[in-house]
Each structure stands twice: as C-alpha cells, then as structure tokens.
Amino acid sequence: MTGATGATGANGMTGATGATGMTGVTGANGMTGATGATGTSFTDQYGYAGFSGNGTMTINAGGTVIPLNTENLVSNGVSYNSGTSAFTVSEAGFYFVQYDVSFNALNNVGSRILINNMVLPRSVISANKPIEDIRLNNSFIVRLEEGDSLKLELYGGSSNKNVIFVSDDSASVTIIRLK
C-alpha cells in the first residue's frame, strides 16, 4: 500500500540565463504623422545691389557714395533707392551686411558703410598706402532700426582721389535680416 503524498518542497535556485534568441521579423510601418507647422526663415528680408562701370571716378576727400546700379534684388522689408544709392530697412532687427569693392588707385582710398549718413566704425577699411588692384571687403552684423538707411562709400582722406574701376562687377552690397 502507498502512503499519502508529502508536502511540496522549497523552490530551488534560479538557473543561469539562456542564450539570446534570434531577432524576430520587423513589424509593419506605422501611419505617417501630421505635418508640422511651417518654420520661419532667417533670410526672408534681404537686399543686394552691385556697381558695374569701367572708368575713372573722383573720390571726394570726405567720401563719395558708390552708385550701385546693377542687379538690384530686394524682398519685403528691404528697399533700394537708386537715386540716393541707399538701402532702407522697414523692420528693426539684426542684419548681416557684406560689401565688396575693387578698383585701381595710386592714392590711399578706403571704404566704409554709412548708416543714416553716419560712418559705422566697424565697417571701415583703410588703405594705408597706395596699392594697385585693390579689393576691399568686409562683413559684420549690426542692429538697425525701422527706417534706417545704409550706403557704401569710398573716401580719400585729406584730398580728392581718383580710382579706376576696371571690371563690370566693381562693387556690391548684400544685406540680410537675421531672425
């Protein structure tokens, strides 16, 4: 005759972890999410103008604004007046400004940007000695207020100077509003 079953004994220790199994098949792609909001552009307000001219120009001692007469490209917020050779901004903010001018000069001639007919010191490039085939360029960020105007100017120091522009792309100014 068999006796009664005894009580269940205590659980044993957990065994070692087994090897990792094979990777399963990739599931189906989920549904495409909704389109996000349109982002803002940091270049929605810009202006560009160039100067094309061969020949001699007299630069007055106090300065002569370069008439940017070609490729005037502007967007909302930046305008260019060819009569005054000035860009005007319609919205306050920070602007990236870049200018480039190339010419021949046998006298010291420098370049600078005027804001509201006042010299912007960080834009000044001085030519300390006579150099042929001069190429002056500068770029900077500046805060402008609504209605501010900007011009490119060459200056000759204490007396009038002559410069000779020798290419069809002798000067240009680019202005871009940063957001």
Side-chain angles (χ1 to χ4, degrees):
M1 163 171 243
T2 304
T5 302
T8 302
N11 286 338
M13 292 178 40
T14 302
T17 301
T20 301
M22 295 181 61
T23 301
V25 293
T26 301
N29 287 337
M31 293 177 31
T32 301
T35 300
T38 301
T40 57
S41 168
F42 74 96
T43 60
D44 64 344
Q45 295 178 0
Y46 59 87
Y48 170 87
F51 171 72
S52 177
N54 292 321
T56 301
M57 179 183 283
T58 299
I59 305 303
N60 297 325
T64 298
V65 173
I66 301 302
L68 302 173
N69 58 6
T70 63
E71 297 185 62
N72 299 336
L73 306 171
V74 293
S75 69
N76 275 340
V78 178
S79 61
Y80 182 74
N81 181 326
S82 60
T84 61
S85 300
F87 288 96
T88 302
V89 300
S90 64
E91 192 172 333
F94 289 96
Y95 288 80
F96 171 81
V97 176
Q98 187 274 330
Y99 73 83
D100 182 78
V101 61
S102 56
F103 54 89
N104 288 331
L106 299 177
N107 299 297
N108 303 344
V109 175
S111 60
R112 58 193 176 196
I113 292 290
L114 304 179
I115 296 180
N116 300 327
N117 294 317
M118 301 294 293
V119 174
L120 179 64
R122 76 182 95 162
S123 73
V124 175
I125 298 178
S126 298
N128 296 325
K129 60 184 175 184
I131 302 173
E132 289 192 35
D133 298 324
I134 297 173
R135 183 176 186 107
L136 304 174
N137 57 14
N138 197 351
S139 59
F140 48 89
I141 295 174
V142 62
R143 175 152 178 83
L144 298 175
E145 300 301 324
E146 178 182 347
D148 280 353
S149 68
L150 181 144
K151 300 175 186 178
L152 173 61
E153 182 178 72
L154 294 181
Y155 66 97
S158 61
S159 63
N160 293 352
K161 312 283 196 252
N162 287 328
V163 299
I164 302 168
F165 293 103
V166 294
S167 74
D168 287 338
D169 187 21
S170 297
S172 65
V173 173
T174 301
I175 179 170
I176 301 170
R177 184 172 186 269
L178 306 174
K179 294 253 180 183

